[in-house]
Amino acid sequence: MFLQFFYALAATAGFCLIFNVPRRHMFSASFVGALGWITFQYALSIGYGNVAACFLGSCTVALLSDICSRVLKDATTLFIIPGILPLVPGAGMYNTMLAFLDSNFDNMTKVGSETILMAGSIAVALLMVASLIKAVVTIKDSILDILRKRKGLRK
């Protein structure tokens, strides 16, 4: 598991170089990607399927990216885009195309549908975590406004 963490960290650092992530955020963005990959691998090891494991890994990347963006005061996309790339099912797309070229349509539909579901789970996870964080922040701000108004009325 440690080697997978290290390789995912290195791969995400490479994507950070490609996408010109600022140097001060490279380690945190790489760490986000590595933890997303470790979550994916752990979910697979305890018996989850590829789609559910990809969803959990993407949720981890989205949550950690939002935390990093709030702590480091920069855009969330700096952490999400390189962090999510190790989870993108590129091998599934390749195998789908290979099965299509071999006219193995049964394998093509099986691998292709799983690949599409994995890509969809990434999108749903990113959207769901961003929406939840937005709802929590809105509720927190509303409660703080109510408390400030009550405190102001007492004076």
Side-chain angles (χ1 to χ4, degrees):
M1 198 67 96
F2 177 74
L3 278 178
Q4 293 221 1
F5 177 82
F6 177 74
Y7 291 142
L9 188 81
T12 309
F15 286 122
C16 288
L17 288 174
I18 291 172
F19 291 115
N20 289 328
V21 172
R23 221 178 239 179
R24 63 183 186 276
H25 298 319
M26 278 186 81
F27 181 74
S28 54
S30 301
F31 194 72
V32 166
L35 284 181
W37 181 255
I38 289 300
T39 303
F40 174 74
Q41 289 297 320
Y42 179 72
L44 284 178
S45 70
I46 61 172
Y48 284 96
N50 282 337
V51 177
C54 193
F55 177 79
L56 292 174
S58 300
C59 284
T60 301
V61 168
L63 183 65
L64 292 175
S65 295
D66 195 82
I67 290 170
C68 285
S69 73
R70 290 177 191 275
V71 170
L72 301 173
K73 301 193 184 310
D74 220 328
T76 308
T77 53
L78 284 176
F79 305 100
I80 283 182
I81 292 173
I84 207 71
L85 284 175
L87 296 172
V88 170
M93 292 178 200
Y94 173 78
N95 289 330
T96 302
M97 188 57 67
L98 191 63
F100 176 73
L101 292 175
D102 288 342
S103 299
N104 187 355
F105 296 115
D106 289 337
N107 195 26
M108 180 191 82
T109 55
K110 180 184 169 195
V111 175
S113 62
E114 186 176 86
T115 302
I116 289 171
L117 287 174
M118 286 176 72
S121 73
I122 290 171
V124 168
L126 293 179
L127 182 67
M128 193 178 81
V129 170
S131 298
L132 284 174
I133 289 171
K134 178 77 174 170
V136 167
V137 168
T138 303
I139 291 170
K140 182 196 83 170
D141 289 345
S142 299
I143 290 172
L144 287 177
D145 283 345
I146 291 170
L147 291 176
R148 283 187 198 121
K149 286 179 184 175
R150 284 187 181 175
K151 190 175 181 180
L153 291 176
R154 288 183 184 168
K155 286 184 179 178

